[in-house]
């Protein structure tokens, strides 16, 4: 029993920043890291009511929690957010670049602004956050950066040129950051979820969800907690020798569905 307790508190005293933590996968990650004893900063953009509920849930776990509104695509917003985190908690040990959006459409009809906004939030947002924690983590000679990519960033997907480009970019960024920061004890890994049940995928027609399901080895859609469990492991000391990796959670990347499944992951 004692061992279980210790395992549950593997992140005690650490500070974690999770972007896009008001809903979905980010919310599950924030709660999971808090259950492991971390103090958490829950970033959000619009969902004021949802983030208030997340804060309450995390407070009940007995750790410190701070909600910060910031658009991660803004370099200056992110700079202010990270400064506030350090003022409040003294350090940043774990950064989870989770916030993301989709603006799906076939390339022939994709609007320029739909390409730009997906790249700005999903890819540049991760750069902004990593950039502003880099000096802190390198100075303290420890840190964990965990980027949420997507299986789509590995396979590509019809109707998601913008999103899959951003998610593939995240993988390149992850591998490069791993090489730049490794000698200072800072690891950087990516998690590539398949089809996870959140607001992002909720709107898809049943036909599309069924087609997705047929490609999933475990024959069920993923839950946000399935992603949070991997992120929590990567954040611990037990993952200290893993860096530059991409872990799928899990729609097998070899078994693809085609155009009819062109949205949502
Ligand atoms: P979601 O339910 O739509 O939640 C998105 C979160 O991102 C919200 O908390 C939202 O905050 C936040 N966000 C969006 N734009 C933001 C911005 N500019 N600045 C700060 N926060 C912003 O999405 P999800 O399904 O949980 O997805 C989370 C991550 O997993 C994304 O990177 C997504 O691409 C990736 N992913 C998801 C799936 C899936 O099947 N669901 C599969 C593969 C990868 P507000 O609501 O406060 O605006």
């Amino acid at each position: 029993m004692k061992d279980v307790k210790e395992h549950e508190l593997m992140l005690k005293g650490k500070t974690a920043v999770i972007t896009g933590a008001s809903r979905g996968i980010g919310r599950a990650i924030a709660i999971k890291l808090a259950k492991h004893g971390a103090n958490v900063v829950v970033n959000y953009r619009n969902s004021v009511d949802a983030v208030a509920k997340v804060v309450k849930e995390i407070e009940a776990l007995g750790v410190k929690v701070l909600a910060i509104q910031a658009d991660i695509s803004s370099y200056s917003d992110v700079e202010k957010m990270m400064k506030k985190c350090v003022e409040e908690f003294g350090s940043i040990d774990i950064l989870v670049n989770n916030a993301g959006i989709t603006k799906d459409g076939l390339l022939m009809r994709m609007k320029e602004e739909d390409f730009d906004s997906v790249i700005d939030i999903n890819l540049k947002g991760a750069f902004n956050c990593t950039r502003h924690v880099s000096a802190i983590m390198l100075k303290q000679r420890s840190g964990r950066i965990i980027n949420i990519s997507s299986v789509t960033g590995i396979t590509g997907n019809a109707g998601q040129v913008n999103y899959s480009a951003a998610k593939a970019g995240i993988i390149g960024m992850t591998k490069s950051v791993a090489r730049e920061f490794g000698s200072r004890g800072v690891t950087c890994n990516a998690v590539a979820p398949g089809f996870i049940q959140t607001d992002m995928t909720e709107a898809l027609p049943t036909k599309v969800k069924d087609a997705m399901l047929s490609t999933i080895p475990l024959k069920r859609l993923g839950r946000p907690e399935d992603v949070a469990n991997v992120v929590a492991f990567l954040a611990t000391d037990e993952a200290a020798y893993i860096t530059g990796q991409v872990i799928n959670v899990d729609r097998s990347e070899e078994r693809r569905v085609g155009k009819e499944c062109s949205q949502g992951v």
Side-chain angles (χ1 to χ4, degrees):
M1 201 58 191
K2 189 167 172 280
D3 285 350
V4 174
K5 199 97 186 146
E6 279 172 5
H7 179 76
E8 279 175 357
L9 294 175
M10 279 175 82
L11 300 176
K12 195 169 182 204
K14 305 271 186 198
T15 298
V17 179
I18 304 103
T19 66
S22 52
R23 297 184 283 118
I25 294 170
R27 172 185 175 278
I29 293 170
I31 291 168
K32 183 74 186 177
L33 299 187
K35 280 184 179 166
H36 277 279
N39 297 319
V40 292
V41 174
V42 290
N43 157 256
Y44 69 105
R45 185 178 53 168
N46 296 321
S47 301
V48 180
D49 293 345
V51 87
K53 282 187 196 153
V54 177
V55 166
K56 255 192 159 174
E57 213 170 320
I58 292 175
E59 271 170 353
L61 296 169
V63 297
K64 289 185 197 156
V65 55
L66 178 66
I68 303 184
Q69 196 278 337
D71 177 353
I72 56 151
S73 66
S74 158
Y75 192 81
S76 59
D77 260 28
V78 172
E79 186 173 25
K80 282 183 213 142
M81 173 169 75
M82 298 307 180
K83 271 196 180 143
K84 208 167 166 190
C85 296
V86 174
E87 275 164 27
E88 194 71 25
F89 295 116
S91 76
I92 298 172
D93 305 292
I94 301 156
L95 167 66
V96 185
N97 284 313
N98 164 80
I101 60 162
T102 50
K103 292 266 175 82
D104 296 346
L106 294 172
L107 182 134
M108 284 283 286
R109 290 196 287 269
M110 187 172 285
K111 290 186 198 137
E112 186 185 5
E113 61 259 33
D114 289 348
F115 186 84
D116 287 346
S117 62
V118 168
I119 298 291
D120 280 352
I121 294 173
N122 296 27
L123 182 58
K124 189 172 172 243
F127 164 76
N128 288 341
C129 294
T130 306
R131 174 73 178 76
H132 289 300
V133 301
S134 59
I136 301 161
M137 288 187 177
L138 293 174
K139 195 171 167 211
Q140 71 197 11
R141 291 189 163 266
S142 70
R144 296 278 183 277
I145 300 166
I146 301 150
N147 296 325
I148 307 301
S149 176
S150 167
V151 166
T152 301
I154 302 165
T155 62
N157 201 14
Q160 290 195 306
V161 159
N162 48 1
Y163 184 77
S164 51
K167 293 303 188 182
I170 287 275
I171 292 172
M173 191 188 295
T174 300
K175 290 174 187 280
S176 300
V177 170
R179 287 179 187 275
E180 284 194 25
F181 293 3
S183 63
R184 300 277 198 98
V186 179
T187 68
C188 183
N189 292 288
V191 176
F195 190 108
I196 310 297
Q197 286 176 292
T198 68
D199 294 344
M200 190 178 267
T201 48
E202 185 55 32
L204 294 177
T206 310
K207 204 179 90 186
V208 173
K209 286 185 192 166
D210 288 347
M212 283 285 186
L213 200 54
S214 71
T215 71
I216 298 172
L218 288 159
K219 297 298 166 210
R220 68 167 175 85
L221 302 181
R223 294 183 281 259
E225 292 72 23
D226 293 318
V227 181
N229 290 339
V230 180
V231 172
F233 167 67
L234 289 171
T236 66
D237 286 347
E238 292 193 346
Y241 201 60
I242 301 171
T243 196
Q245 301 306 305
V246 184
I247 301 178
N248 287 14
V249 179
D250 189 278
R251 173 158 69 91
S252 171
E253 64 193 64
E254 287 80 31
R255 302 178 66 194
R256 298 177 55 193
V257 282
K259 191 173 158 190
E260 73 278 15
C261 294
S262 68
Q263 301 165 68
V265 290

